[in-house]
Amino acid sequence: SAAEAARQEQTTSPILGDQWTTASGQVDPIPGAEPLIFHALRVGDHEGFYRVVVEFTGEGTPGYFSSWADTPVEQGRGRQLPVEGVSYLDLMISGTSMPVEADQQAVYYSGPSNLAVGPLDVREDGTFEDTTHIVIGMDQAREFQIGFLHDPVRVVIDVRK
């Protein structure tokens, strides 16, 4: 339910407990019966960490490649993205679909391109081919962790304060 989903996101514990890192990482996607369409982007301020939630309609579990970027750039075009900060966590969420059908376009994310929480500036760069691109600009390189929630499908990025 929507209430249960909201409760999961509001939990006061980081998504992976004490498993903080600054290292690049990669997880492969697990496809489902319905394509994953980027639907919502939210940020939250919790005790000890900031939370970024990227929600998808559809089924399966997305994958990701996370790395630190010197300069955040758009997928495909390579133009610099307007993101505040001095350190940039670049998150390529794989196994997602471009919204080509009308019903997919109807649920595709249409909110602001940048969301701020604390010293973070979260920028969505949309979905290109099978990858949804998110950049998190920070005031300094911070420890983070990435996990998943389901029903609906969400990628959760927790950034340590």
Side-chain angles (χ1 to χ4, degrees):
S1 73
E4 174 63 14
R7 189 196 63 73
Q8 288 175 339
E9 288 174 30
Q10 295 306 317
T11 181
T12 56
S13 301
I15 190 78
L16 300 180
D18 291 330
Q19 298 178 45
W20 297 102
T21 187
T22 55
S24 297
Q26 183 166 357
V27 170
D28 291 329
I30 303 167
E34 294 291 323
L36 292 170
I37 305 294
F38 175 35
H39 177 66
L41 180 65
R42 293 184 289 279
V43 295
D45 189 338
H46 300 274
E47 186 175 336
F49 65 97
Y50 302 104
R51 173 160 285 179
V52 178
V53 177
V54 188
E55 181 180 320
F56 298 87
T57 62
E59 298 172 11
T61 303
Y64 66 82
F65 177 72
S66 62
S67 62
W68 293 98
D70 292 331
T71 303
V73 295
E74 286 183 335
Q75 291 193 87
R77 290 188 283 259
R79 292 191 297 222
Q80 185 167 343
L81 284 169
V83 185
E84 296 294 319
V86 295
S87 290
Y88 306 98
L89 181 61
D90 197 80
L91 188 63
M92 304 297 277
I93 302 173
S94 56
T96 66
S97 295
M98 286 179 71
V100 291
E101 306 292 332
D103 60 332
Q104 294 173 341
Q105 292 170 359
V107 298
Y108 189 75
Y109 181 72
S110 61
S113 295
N114 290 63
L115 294 177
V117 60
L120 309 184
D121 185 21
V122 181
R123 171 74 186 205
E124 64 86 16
D125 183 33
T127 302
F128 181 69
E129 294 176 348
D130 69 344
T131 303
T132 301
H133 185 209
I134 304 290
V135 176
I136 304 175
M138 309 182 191
D139 57 337
Q140 63 189 46
R142 293 174 176 268
E143 291 181 313
F144 65 93
Q145 48 184 259
I146 302 170
F148 303 96
L149 292 171
H150 292 275
D151 197 24
V153 175
R154 287 155 289 164
V155 177
V156 176
I157 307 99
D158 287 341
V159 179
R160 199 170 202 168
K161 288 187 177 177

